[in-house]
Amino acid sequence: MALVFRTVAQLAGVSLSLLGWVLSCLTNYLPHWKNLNLDLNEMENWTMGLWQTCVTQEEVGMQCKDFDSFLALPAELRVSRILMFLSNGLGFLGLLVSGFGLDCLRIGEGQRDLKRRLLILGGVLSWASGITALVPVSWVAHKTVQEFWDENVPDFVPRWEFGEALFLGWFAGLSLLLGGCLLNCAACSSHALLASGHHAVAQMQDHHQLETRNTNLKN
């Protein structure tokens, strides 16, 4: 039963980490962190991401323009770019490391302790990737709420609202965190099985030595 749980936890952890990493990469590049609908022109919709601003018009379609300067961006967008790149890199390393720690992989089959450590490291990297994905998404969402309810801005001025990429980023971060938890649970289960196996071998050796002594005494 413990072996089945360990196998399922490993596969589920890697699958969730992979899903979270793919979604975090999409969140990084999608220009839908913020949405702006103009009351004066309902046919026009503005969206903003970390890298560009886009406008969607019914007749023309979507047109996007990259930001000209990194330093001219608001602080939350500058930091979000760095953290999202860091999240993508840590998530990829976590997948790579934890992949080598899977029991179904024949490489290093005799080195159980090494595989357990690789799973733990992969889980920690997935945690770090999830946190560095949740921080920028939550920060941008917080700034959006602050600006939306800013009393100093006149009511007739359009306000930015949450874009689809924010929800995608939250789901990505939670998937990475849950995947890291499952990988570490699998590693702890592997350690428990390894310890019980060593204990069983030690008991068999002690029992064999005791029988040998008794046989010698009888002779």
Side-chain angles (χ1 to χ4, degrees):
M1 187 66 181
L3 181 61
V4 175
F5 169 77
R6 184 183 68 189
T7 304
V8 172
Q10 287 180 3
L11 295 178
V14 171
S15 299
L16 282 173
S17 298
L18 177 60
L19 176 63
W21 177 72
V22 171
L23 293 180
S24 69
C25 291
L26 289 175
T27 303
N28 189 7
Y29 293 105
L30 281 177
H32 297 284
W33 284 57
K34 296 181 179 181
N35 289 338
L36 181 66
N37 294 317
L38 301 177
D39 294 333
L40 297 177
N41 187 2
E42 296 180 355
M43 313 283 288
E44 190 173 277
N45 183 32
W46 289 78
T47 60
M48 179 189 294
L50 298 180
W51 305 94
Q52 57 189 357
T53 302
C54 298
V55 57
T56 303
Q57 296 175 330
E58 187 172 337
E59 297 179 355
V60 182
M62 178 179 284
Q63 294 178 322
C64 298
K65 183 180 183 301
D66 295 337
F67 293 119
D68 296 327
S69 173
F70 173 77
L71 297 178
L73 292 173
E76 66 271 15
L77 294 185
R78 293 200 305 267
V79 176
S80 294
R81 280 190 181 186
I82 298 171
L83 290 178
M84 288 305 297
F85 264 130
L86 185 61
S87 174
N88 297 157
L90 290 173
F92 178 75
L93 287 177
L95 286 171
L96 192 65
V97 170
S98 58
F100 284 108
L102 295 176
D103 290 341
C104 59
L105 195 68
R106 297 300 182 183
I107 300 177
E109 194 172 7
Q111 299 175 321
R112 294 292 180 184
D113 191 55
L114 176 61
K115 279 182 167 287
R116 183 181 65 85
R117 292 179 182 179
L118 288 175
L119 281 179
I120 293 175
L121 179 58
V124 171
L125 289 172
S126 293
W127 278 344
S129 177
I131 292 172
T132 50
L134 289 173
V135 169
V137 172
S138 301
W139 188 7
V140 171
H142 175 68
K143 292 293 291 184
T144 303
V145 172
Q146 278 188 329
E147 294 170 359
F148 186 87
W149 296 109
D150 190 357
E151 297 180 354
N152 297 322
V153 179
D155 293 337
F156 60 86
V157 176
R159 289 172 169 82
W160 291 100
E161 299 183 18
F162 288 176
E164 295 83 354
L166 294 183
F167 299 99
L168 199 65
W170 279 319
F171 188 75
L174 292 176
S175 296
L176 286 164
L177 289 176
L178 184 57
C181 289
L182 288 174
L183 288 174
N184 279 277
C185 288
C188 293
S189 173
S190 176
H191 178 66
L193 285 175
L194 189 64
S196 62
H198 287 324
H199 182 67
V201 171
Q203 281 186 334
M204 290 179 62
Q205 290 177 347
D206 292 340
H207 182 68
H208 179 69
Q209 290 177 357
L210 183 61
E211 287 184 347
T212 304
R213 290 177 183 174
N214 292 333
T215 302
N216 293 333
L217 289 175
K218 289 179 180 180
N219 295 333

